[in-house]
Amino acid sequence: QAQLVQSGGEVKRPGASVKVSCQASGYTFTGYYIQWVRQAPGQGLEWLGWINPNSGATEYTPKFQGWVTMTRDTSISTAYMEVTRLTFDDTAVYYCARDHSSGGYYFGLDVWGQGTAVTVSS
Amino acid sequence: EIVLTQSPATLSLSPGERATLSCRASQSVRSFLAWYQQRPGQAPRLLIYDASNRATGIPARFSGSGSGTDFTLTISSLEPEDFAVYYCQQRSNWLTFGGGTKVEMK
């Protein structure tokens, strides 16, 4: 069955960068967008942006433009999200999710990674 | 940016009771709306897509309705495992989530 497996938790200093990976299996990686979402401790879900694994095209929500970069490697069915210039406010669980849209219908974020905890601490 | 407002923030109910959760959009999202359940320490799980369609494996006690700007998620009879946080999400214009409704046991 379709699955997304993310890299393990990270602890970073303020000002550093972190790169989270999301490996897909059980489906055609290039057939679905990958969305990135984060959740700060005790807070709701916040959308960061998406990548089209087929073309490599990306879209970022304005808040994250310029300091979040999404890439992919189709040879290993893996999407990446890098956050630079980390601050304490970037402490969160970061999720990747498969975005299923087809034929003018929206089928939702139907497969989620397990989440990657990123802690920013001095 | 389309803003999704969920109400109430917290719903205190007993097992077997009916839960009605609301999600209102700041502008029309047509039917491009989904609902998710999140239990503590877990990733969100898709419940409803395209406003009213149950995702694979979701029990029939979960139902969604609405279109345009007003949407509802109904849980007809709460089971113990249904006490969790629920989020709505739109995909009509970029992507946004509502702030969530926590369904807690009374």
Side-chain angles (χ1 to χ4, degrees):
Chain A
Q1 74 283 16
Q3 193 176 6
L4 296 171
V5 177
Q6 298 183 225
S7 49
E10 304 259 15
V11 180
K12 295 290 184 181
R13 300 283 191 211
S17 299
V18 66
K19 191 171 187 176
V20 178
S21 68
C22 170
Q23 185 168 37
S25 62
Y27 75 95
T28 302
F29 176 61
T30 52
Y32 302 82
Y33 283 28
I34 292 289
Q35 303 281 1
W36 288 91
V37 175
R38 76 178 186 181
Q39 186 170 38
Q43 303 300 308
L45 301 171
E46 181 176 32
W47 177 63
L48 280 71
W50 55 252
I51 183 166
N52 178 345
N54 188 42
S55 65
T58 56
E59 189 80 57
Y60 306 110
T61 191
K63 175 180 176 180
F64 296 101
Q65 195 101 31
W67 55 287
V68 170
T69 303
M70 297 172 189
T71 56
R72 93 295 189 213
D73 184 340
T74 57
S75 69
I76 56 171
S77 299
T78 300
Y80 302 92
M81 186 206 56
E82 183 174 26
V83 184
T84 60
R85 305 193 304 275
L86 288 164
T87 71
F88 296 119
D89 290 343
D90 295 316
T91 293
V93 176
Y94 289 76
Y95 294 102
C96 60
R98 187 178 82 166
D99 188 310
H100 191 171
S101 302
S102 177
Y105 290 93
Y106 184 53
F107 296 93
L109 304 178
D110 62 349
V111 181
W112 289 71
Q114 82 276 20
T116 296
V118 175
T119 302
V120 183
S121 174
S122 56
Chain B
E1 176 187 329
I2 295 178
V3 176
L4 298 179
T5 302
Q6 290 188 241
S7 61
T10 304
L11 204 48
S12 298
L13 296 168
S14 300
E17 288 193 296
R18 182 184 190 90
T20 302
L21 288 65
S22 173
C23 176
R24 177 163 290 177
S26 59
Q27 63 190 80
S28 176
V29 299
R30 294 170 283 174
S31 63
F32 288 4
L33 188 109
W35 290 93
Y36 301 85
Q37 175 193 68
Q38 188 177 34
R39 296 173 177 142
Q42 295 185 14
R45 176 175 72 141
L46 175 67
L47 297 176
I48 301 288
Y49 65 89
D50 213 38
S52 60
N53 296 280
R54 273 189 304 278
T56 303
I58 300 303
R61 63 181 182 273
F62 291 93
S63 64
S65 63
S67 67
T69 60
D70 288 291
F71 299 86
T72 300
L73 174 70
T74 302
I75 311 171
S76 60
S77 178
L78 283 164
E79 297 288 338
E81 62 268 27
D82 299 337
F83 292 92
V85 180
Y86 293 83
Y87 294 95
C88 58
Q89 172 249 321
Q90 68 81 21
R91 189 65 169 93
S92 175
N93 185 342
W94 289 21
L95 189 155
T96 49
F97 290 94
T101 291
K102 182 180 182 180
V103 178
E104 65 176 24
M105 201 174 297
K106 186 187 290 183

